[in-house]
């Protein structure tokens, strides 16, 4: 790999890098190691939100296989949807809070402390786990019907 196509490790930890010299966006000003988890988990959160919306569209008009009752009227389904919404709302709020804190550092011209960086990475991991949990709730709610219908 030619040297001009590489990036020294120090650039990923918050040192000067080619991108932050030319771009004013916070995404270029923040250390890559610190922000990576929040960026990836935010995408996972969006996927989980899409899964919930698809499920809500899917369940309309379906009946329970055993009882023949409207599947959308089942209290267990309501609980799963409610739990998924709570997880998505809380994880989204944590993502926004974390991004706002990171942006405040950019605006102040400072870098987060090691403790803050660790907390931001932990927030990203937690958001990702919440997205995973929502995906599992939807999988349990739709059961096998979501795979073949």
């Amino acid at each position: 790999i030619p040297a001009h196509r590489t990036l020294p490790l120090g650039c990923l930890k918050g040192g000067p890098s080619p991108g932050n010299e030319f771009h004013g966006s916070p995404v270029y000003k923040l250390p890559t190691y610190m922000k990576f988890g929040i960026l990836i988990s935010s995408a996972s959160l969006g996927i989980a939100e899409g899964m919930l919306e698809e499920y809500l569209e899917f369940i309309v008009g379906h009946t329970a296989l055993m009882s023949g009752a409207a599947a959308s009227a089942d209290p267990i389904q309501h609980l799963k949807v409610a739990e998924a919404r709570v997880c998505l709302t809380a994880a989204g709020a944590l993502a926004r809070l974390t991004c706002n804190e990171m942006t405040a550092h950019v605006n102040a011209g400072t870098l987060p402390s090691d403790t803050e960086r660790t907390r931001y990475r932990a927030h990203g991991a937690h958001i990702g786990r919440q997205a995973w949990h929502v995906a599992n709730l939807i999988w349990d709610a739709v059961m096998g019907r979501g795979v073949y219908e």
Side-chain angles (χ1 to χ4, degrees):
I1 299 173
H4 70 278
R5 296 203 185 264
T6 64
L7 191 63
L9 191 58
C11 293
L12 300 175
K13 293 181 178 181
S17 68
N20 67 18
E21 291 178 22
F22 300 106
H23 303 287
S25 171
V27 76
Y28 292 101
K29 299 293 184 190
L30 293 167
T32 302
Y33 278 174
M34 179 196 74
K35 68 184 175 202
F36 186 74
I38 198 75
L39 297 176
I40 294 298
S41 64
S42 294
S44 299
L45 192 60
I47 292 167
E49 288 171 346
M51 287 180 72
L52 178 59
E53 293 307 314
E54 286 291 321
Y55 171 72
L56 293 173
E57 290 177 20
F58 171 84
I59 199 69
V60 173
H62 278 82
T63 56
L65 296 175
M66 300 301 281
S67 69
S72 60
D74 182 2
I76 300 299
Q77 300 301 318
H78 290 198
L79 288 172
K80 289 178 188 288
V81 168
E83 184 178 353
R85 283 193 169 140
V86 167
C87 289
L88 291 171
T89 300
L94 182 59
R96 284 186 295 281
L97 172 73
T98 304
C99 288
N100 288 342
E101 287 182 17
M102 290 179 183
T103 302
H105 276 288
V106 171
N107 293 338
T110 61
L111 288 173
S113 68
D114 288 344
T115 301
E116 289 171 312
R117 292 176 191 216
T118 300
R119 184 166 43 87
Y120 299 154
R121 287 191 302 269
H123 286 181
H126 179 72
I127 293 163
R129 280 192 301 276
Q130 291 302 301
W132 176 85
H133 182 65
V134 168
N136 279 292
L137 284 169
I138 301 305
W139 177 262
D140 289 347
V142 78
M143 294 181 241
R145 295 177 82 176
V147 175
Y148 63 85
E149 281 190 29

